[in-house]
């Protein structure tokens, strides 16, 4: 039996809309047979926990999640990529883990889709959830 691939889902998690979108993506990926590490839940990264725990605890749980993942899916929406997401992309790149970007935002920079360093660190870029799921088939 094949081992299920584990995805680390990187993305902003500071608004209700971002939190809900992350959960939607997690559920889509789970339904496709992947395991998913969702930092906002699996690293207990939320306002209440930030008040109860120190930042180092959340950081360590996220690094552990990245280390134990096979693939990173990174939400790249916004005028600029979320700084935490950019760090997670760089860390995954350094660990030679494939990073798949998801950018549903139609805005782009004059010289690329996202920041050059982020764009060069990803192995594929999907423009919507359906394209992401099709891309993920290559990584089963």
């Amino acid at each position: 039996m094949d081992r299920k691939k584990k995805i680390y889902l990187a993305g902003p998690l500071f608004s209700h809309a971002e939190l809900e979108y992350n959960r939607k993506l997690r559920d889509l990926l789970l339904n496709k047979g992947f395991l998913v590490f969702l930092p906002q839940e699996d690293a207990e990264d939320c306002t209440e926990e930030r008040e109860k725990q120190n930042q180092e605890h959340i950081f360590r749980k996220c690094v552990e999640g990245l280390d134990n993942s096979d693939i990173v899916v990174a939400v790249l929406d916004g005028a600029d990529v979320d700084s935490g997401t950019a760090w997670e992309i760089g860390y995954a790149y350094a660990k030679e883990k494939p990073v798949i970007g998801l950018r549903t935002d139609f805005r782009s920079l004059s010289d690329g889709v996202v920041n050059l360093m982020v764009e060069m660190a990803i192995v594929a870029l999907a423009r919507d959830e359906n394209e992401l799921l099709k891309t993920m088939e290559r990584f089963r």
Side-chain angles (χ1 to χ4, degrees):
M1 180 156 72
D2 291 334
R3 180 181 75 82
K4 286 186 177 185
K5 297 278 177 112
K6 188 165 190 179
I7 295 171
Y8 182 98
L9 184 54
L13 43 75
F14 300 101
S15 71
H16 291 286
E18 290 166 341
L19 294 170
E20 285 303 313
Y21 187 63
N22 295 342
R23 286 185 195 103
K24 174 185 174 181
L25 289 176
R26 178 209 47 211
D27 293 346
L28 288 171
L29 293 165
L30 287 172
N31 287 336
K32 284 295 184 179
F34 292 96
L35 300 173
V36 180
F37 182 93
L38 184 62
Q40 69 198 46
E41 294 175 3
D42 298 320
E44 300 144 17
D45 192 358
C46 61
T47 304
E48 298 82 26
E49 291 302 317
R50 282 181 183 235
E51 291 171 1
K52 289 183 346 190
Q53 301 177 26
N54 63 40
Q55 300 271 352
E56 186 176 348
H57 173 78
I58 294 169
F59 174 80
R60 298 265 177 244
K61 297 269 288 192
C62 288
V63 170
E64 183 180 306
L66 281 161
D67 287 339
N68 293 328
S69 294
D70 302 297
I71 306 160
V72 173
V73 170
V75 178
L76 307 177
D77 288 341
D80 199 13
V81 175
D82 169 71
S83 58
T85 303
W87 186 93
E88 292 161 331
I89 291 168
Y91 185 85
Y93 180 82
K95 295 283 190 169
E96 299 182 350
K97 293 177 185 277
V99 180
I100 294 85
L102 172 62
R103 184 164 175 87
T104 65
D105 196 326
F106 63 85
R107 294 173 285 187
S108 64
L109 301 174
S110 60
D111 58 348
V113 177
V114 292
N115 174 284
L116 168 71
M117 299 303 284
V118 170
E119 195 167 338
M120 293 295 104
I122 62 177
V123 298
L125 178 66
R127 295 301 195 145
D128 60 36
E129 295 86 3
N130 289 330
E131 192 175 342
L132 173 65
L133 294 177
K134 286 178 189 170
T135 300
M136 295 312 297
E137 290 298 319
R138 298 189 329 221
F139 295 91
R140 282 194 171 277

